[in-house]
Every structure is written in structure tokens, then in C-alpha cells.
Amino acid sequence: MALVIAPASPTYADDATAPAQQQTTDNSNNTDNPNTSNNPGTDSGQQTDPSNGAIDAYAATHTWLGLPTAEVTPITAIESGAERTYQNGTVYWSSGTGVHAVRSNIDACYQKHLQDLGFPVNDEMKLNGGASQRFQYGQIHWSPSTGAQFTRGAIQQYWSQRGWQDGWLGWPTGDELTVKGGASQTFQHGTVFWSNSTGAHAVKDGIRGRYSVLKFEQGILGFPTTDEMKLNGGASQRFQYGQIHWSPSTGAQFTRGAIQQYWSQRGWQDGWLGWPTGDELTVKGGASQTFQHGTVFWSNSTGAHAVVGTTLSKYATARYEQGPYGFPVEDQTGPSQRFQHGSIAGCGKIGYQNPGGFFQVSSCNVSVPGGAFGYASPSRISINANRDQVVNAFISRAYDYLGTRYVWDYAMQPGNGVDCAGLVMQSLYATGMNLQDYNPTAHWYDPWHSHDANNMSNDRRFLHIPVSQRQRGDLIFYPGHVAIYLGNDQVIEAMPPRVRIANMYAGNRHPTGAARPFI
């Protein structure tokens, strides 16, 4: 028998580094093996690529991604899938959504909300001024000025119905925020609030500023129940427990409860109280709120009542409801008003009133500059006079001047002398209308006011109307002249030599315009 000699074993510097004895066949070059070098098998200690190579295949055709910066990694975003990061973005895959890349500008936001949004369902879409991308349960929108923010659900639907980022809300400036009872999200030009019971509504501009002071939906007003409503001269918006009203001159103020009901029953901002000028104020025993033409006071035992004019001034001096009079127990209809512990005499106007921006009427007498021309006809209207009563007081005072001599630039007592504008002034004073710079002293001494007939014809504090729409109590203008319309083409006017009643077309004259002092 021949003797077989085995070859010598190789020598290593350290026996510990010697390779382990191979236990299985080397299949590294077997092309049929699914565990390739890009997809190493679990036997090597690495996980199988869940995308079965779909992520790498996608990246091969989307070279903008750059080089990979990590291996394919299994992830869960509501459902199971995988991701792989690259220099300029991340590629995501799930069996339900396929494979899509998310660019770096959106990916940072997505990574924070991955568990809320699920996997991407499309690639990034270019928009005018930015980009967006859809996910299983929402979207992410990005612009250079606002960054990347996600939207979803009812708030996203509200935004989409108003034109997305090209609509009046603009781009989102924050992610959706979960709040007690609902959610909210800020946009460039407003904030959208949502609750299950109120739906989604935006709050913007001045109303949003006041709402923020009141702690948004967590404050006394709750969630908005309508969008902002445009009003004549301003806007308003309803909330669960009140409203906010805004105008340029008064800003934004909230109303609620019994005071709001009192105000609404008297015409809201178009009524005699006008716009609120302060929020409701909680006081000992009740509440109060200021409006343009009065203050409303409420207590559980007395209800809500307004105090206006000089009555309000005296009441203020006596420390309002906290003083000796207590709360008002009635609206004022005569020369005084009753309170819990007494009455206050005064004047003002409750009931018919001109809208804000026009000259106001009052049961108070008008005060004019003193001296020889310091006379103003006393007011003839009651504190609760309606429009017809105001017009009648205006015209009846004009009748008192019939036969009074015509004197240029005079606005004196009956019998002393008036011109056409002076007659109008004194007749309007009889309705408690403070005409401010139109007064007897200025009419005599100020050269500009010597032409007050022309000045009145251009003054927007009177409502200007077509002559064809004239009514009793309107002003009728001619070049350098003004008359008071009585109806049936008749006017009362100061025309040399004295105050008269005449046809408005007498002497073949033609009016140039008309204005309504009582709207």
C-alpha cells in the first residue's frame, strides 16, 4: 500500500483570525439565488429587501436623487413598506402605493408626520410658486416663503374648495394642530378651525385678531360656526357662543347673550346704536357694553337697557351701575330714565337714527359758537321719535320762518333774517342735528362757509340721491341755492326778498341735485 502525505496547513499570525471551516456550498456566483449582493439573504445577518428591488430600480431611472446614503430599510407608515435615503431625497415603497420619491424639501415634514400621512401615492407635483405631494391620508405643500406643511381631512377640503394655495387663504404656514374638541391650521391670510359639530371655517383679518385675544376656540366664544359675513361698512362672524363684529372705525368687538339680543332687536349695526366700540364687560351684578351711540347695561333682574346722550353722561359721573342709581330698569322714552334707585333727566336718541357716517339726530339741543350769531333752534323731537316725526319737526321749523326777510349769510331767529343755507341749518337744528362746521357764526364770518348751499351739495354727510327720487324732507340744490322739498313739486326756501313756498321749477329753474338728511 502506498503512503499518502497530506499537504501542510497554511500558517497564520494569529490562530484566532483563521477563517471558520466552510460548512455550505459557496453560491455567491449562482445567478438563480434570490439573495444577491444587492439583496443579501437573512442567513448573512441582513434583512431581505421588502420592495424586491423596486426602490433601486426606481432610483436608477430618477438620477436626480443622487447616490444612496443608506441601505433599503423596512418601515411602517400605517402599513408596512420600505425606504431608502439618497443624497437629494428618499424613495418609499409599499405594496398598496408602489414606489415614489419624496424630495428633501418635503421629506423633512413627511418624516415628522409619516405615521399620520401613510405612504406617498404620487411623485412631487410642481405648482405655481411651490410644490405639493399626495399621501394616503393627506398632502404636504411647500413654498420658499412658508416651508413644508401638511394638510388633511376637513381643513384640507375647506382649503381646496377655496382654490388651494391660489385662493384667498394662500399657502399653509403651519401643520394642522390638534386642539381640544377639534383642530386648526394657519394659512398666509387666515386660520381655519374645525370641530365635528361646527365644521371647518376660516377666521381672518381684524376678526381673527380679536379672536386670538379671546384665546381662539378655547376661549369664551368657542369654534366659528360660519365664515366671515360682509356687512354694510364692515363684517361679522358667528361663533358657538357669540359673534365678532368689525368696522374700520370701531375695530373688532365681540357680543353675546342678552346684550347681543337687545342689539339685534334694534337693527344690529344698522340700527340706532351703531357698531360696538368695546367688548362686553363683566361688572358686579351684570354686564355692560359700549356702542357708537349708547351703552347697554344688563343684570339678571333688570334685563338689558341702553343709556344714551346726556343721561349717559350723568350716569357715568355717578359711576354707572356701581353708583347710587344701580342698573337701568327701562329704556328712555321721555325727558328722564328710571333706574333701580332713582331717575336721571337727560336727552339723546333711542329709535330711528341715521347710519354712522351721516349727521345724527337727537332730542338734545345743538350748541353753536356764541356771540351775535350763537343761536340754534331747540330740538323738537322726543328721544324715541321715528323718522316721520323727525321729518315733521324739520319742516315745521322751516314754516316758522315764512315771511322772514332774506339776508345773505344770516342764520338767525325767525323774523331776524336768514338766507337759503341758514334756513336749512336752523330747520335741521330742530331735529337735534349737530351740523358741526355748518353753523351761523361760520356762515357769517368764514368766506368758505358763505357759500354753504354749494358746500352742502357736495357734502357726503348727507345722502345724495337723484332728483327724480326726491321725497318730503329732502334738500333740493340749484347753483348757489338750496331749498327744502315739501312734496308735489313744492319747496320752502329763503329767496329774496323773504322766505316763501314756491314750485321747485319756478322761473324756469332746474335743480342740479338732491340730498336726504334723514335716511
Side-chain angles (χ1 to χ4, degrees):
M1 176 182 294
L3 181 64
V4 177
I5 306 298
S9 299
T11 302
Y12 295 92
D14 186 346
D15 286 344
T17 63
Q21 185 176 358
Q22 185 170 337
Q23 301 295 320
T24 60
T25 304
D26 182 2
N27 292 319
S28 63
N29 295 320
N30 186 348
T31 57
D32 292 330
N33 180 17
N35 296 319
T36 64
S37 59
N38 287 329
N39 198 3
T42 56
D43 287 342
S44 65
Q46 294 179 295
Q47 294 177 320
T48 302
D49 175 4
S51 74
N52 291 318
I55 289 179
D56 285 345
Y58 179 96
T61 60
H62 294 75
T63 56
W64 60 266
L65 283 163
L67 297 174
T69 59
E71 297 298 325
V72 175
T73 305
I75 62 168
T76 300
I78 300 178
E79 64 182 63
S80 296
E83 69 174 4
R84 190 174 194 184
T85 58
Y86 293 80
Q87 289 175 307
N88 301 312
T90 305
V91 181
Y92 297 89
W93 170 90
S94 79
S95 60
T97 59
V99 59
H100 299 286
V102 180
R103 292 177 183 265
S104 299
N105 54 357
I106 289 179
D107 196 35
C109 177
Y110 176 53
Q111 288 290 331
K112 291 193 301 181
H113 303 288
L114 183 144
Q115 296 303 324
D116 296 315
L117 294 173
F119 283 92
V121 298
N122 68 358
D123 288 350
E124 181 180 283
M125 298 174 290
K126 297 297 182 184
L127 301 176
N128 181 24
S132 74
Q133 189 158 7
R134 290 173 54 202
F135 299 83
Q136 287 174 293
Y137 304 105
Q139 297 189 31
I140 294 179
H141 296 260
W142 172 90
S143 78
S145 61
T146 59
Q149 319 292 342
F150 88 88
T151 63
R152 63 178 176 176
I155 289 179
Q156 178 184 284
Q157 183 179 24
Y158 178 95
W159 181 44
S160 71
Q161 291 170 345
R162 285 150 185 84
W164 297 101
Q165 70 286 340
D166 294 326
W168 64 266
L169 275 167
W171 294 86
T173 57
D175 291 334
E176 180 185 281
L177 175 66
T178 299
V179 298
K180 183 180 179 181
S184 68
Q185 188 161 9
T186 59
F187 294 81
Q188 286 177 303
H189 307 300
T191 303
V192 181
F193 297 84
W194 172 87
S195 78
N196 190 54
S197 61
T198 60
H201 299 285
V203 185
K204 62 179 182 176
D205 300 333
I207 290 180
R208 184 190 180 282
R210 177 59 62 184
Y211 192 40
S212 71
V213 172
L214 299 172
K215 300 182 180 179
F216 294 117
E217 76 291 333
Q218 302 303 309
I220 60 175
L221 292 179
F223 284 89
T225 59
T226 66
D227 287 353
E228 181 178 290
M229 298 172 286
K230 297 297 181 186
L231 302 175
N232 181 25
S236 73
Q237 189 159 6
R238 291 172 55 193
F239 298 80
Q240 287 176 297
Y241 309 114
Q243 298 191 28
I244 295 178
H245 297 261
W246 173 89
S247 78
S249 60
T250 59
Q253 319 293 342
F254 84 87
T255 61
R256 62 176 179 172
I259 290 179
Q260 179 184 284
Q261 184 178 22
Y262 179 93
W263 182 45
S264 72
Q265 291 170 345
R266 286 151 184 83
W268 297 102
Q269 70 286 339
D270 293 327
W272 59 267
L273 274 167
W275 293 86
T277 56
D279 289 336
E280 179 184 283
L281 176 66
T282 300
V283 298
K284 183 179 179 181
S288 67
Q289 187 160 10
T290 59
F291 294 82
Q292 286 178 303
H293 308 301
T295 301
V296 180
F297 298 85
W298 172 86
S299 77
N300 190 53
S301 61
T302 60
H305 301 286
V307 185
V308 304
T310 59
T311 306
L312 180 60
S313 299
K314 295 176 181 178
Y315 191 40
T317 301
R319 297 186 296 113
Y320 296 114
E321 76 290 333
Q322 302 304 309
Y325 290 101
F327 286 89
V329 298
E330 65 175 7
D331 287 352
Q332 186 172 354
T333 57
S336 65
Q337 185 169 6
R338 289 193 304 119
F339 294 78
Q340 286 177 301
H341 309 299
S343 296
I344 298 176
C347 60
K349 188 71 184 74
I350 292 176
Y352 160 77
Q353 182 60 277
N354 279 333
F358 297 95
F359 290 117
Q360 306 292 294
V361 298
S362 173
S363 65
C364 302
N365 294 335
V366 176
S367 176
V368 301
F373 296 93
Y375 172 77
S377 295
S379 177
R380 294 183 172 184
I381 67 172
S382 67
I383 197 167
N384 62 336
N386 60 33
R387 184 182 185 277
D388 286 343
Q389 292 168 328
V390 173
V391 171
N392 287 339
F394 172 55
I395 289 177
S396 69
R397 185 55 171 165
Y399 270 89
D400 292 342
Y401 280 85
L402 277 174
T404 295
R405 65 192 181 113
Y406 177 94
V407 181
W408 176 257
D409 286 347
Y410 260 39
M412 306 292 281
Q413 297 93 326
N416 283 8
V418 289
D419 66 2
C420 62
L423 175 65
V424 169
M425 287 182 206
Q426 292 295 344
S427 300
L428 289 174
Y429 289 153
T431 70
M433 184 176 284
N434 185 347
L435 298 170
Q436 300 173 24
D437 50 325
Y438 296 114
N439 61 74
T441 298
H443 193 46
W444 175 258
Y445 287 108
D446 186 340
W448 188 82
H449 278 291
S450 68
H451 299 280
D452 273 339
N454 289 335
N455 298 335
M456 290 179 181
S457 71
N458 295 310
D459 198 316
R460 294 299 158 182
R461 290 173 289 182
F462 298 114
L463 177 64
H464 290 265
I465 58 171
V467 175
S468 61
Q469 296 179 13
R470 63 190 180 276
Q471 297 176 2
R472 182 172 180 267
D474 288 345
L475 304 180
I476 305 297
F477 296 107
Y478 306 85
H481 183 63
V482 60
I484 299 170
Y485 187 64
L486 302 176
N488 297 319
D489 289 348
Q490 300 294 299
V491 295
I492 184 169
E493 59 186 348
M495 177 74 76
R498 59 192 70 252
V499 178
R500 66 176 189 176
I501 294 175
N503 188 283
M504 63 184 291
Y505 300 105
N508 198 33
R509 59 183 177 169
H510 296 281
T512 57
R516 184 158 295 155
F518 312 109
I519 301 168

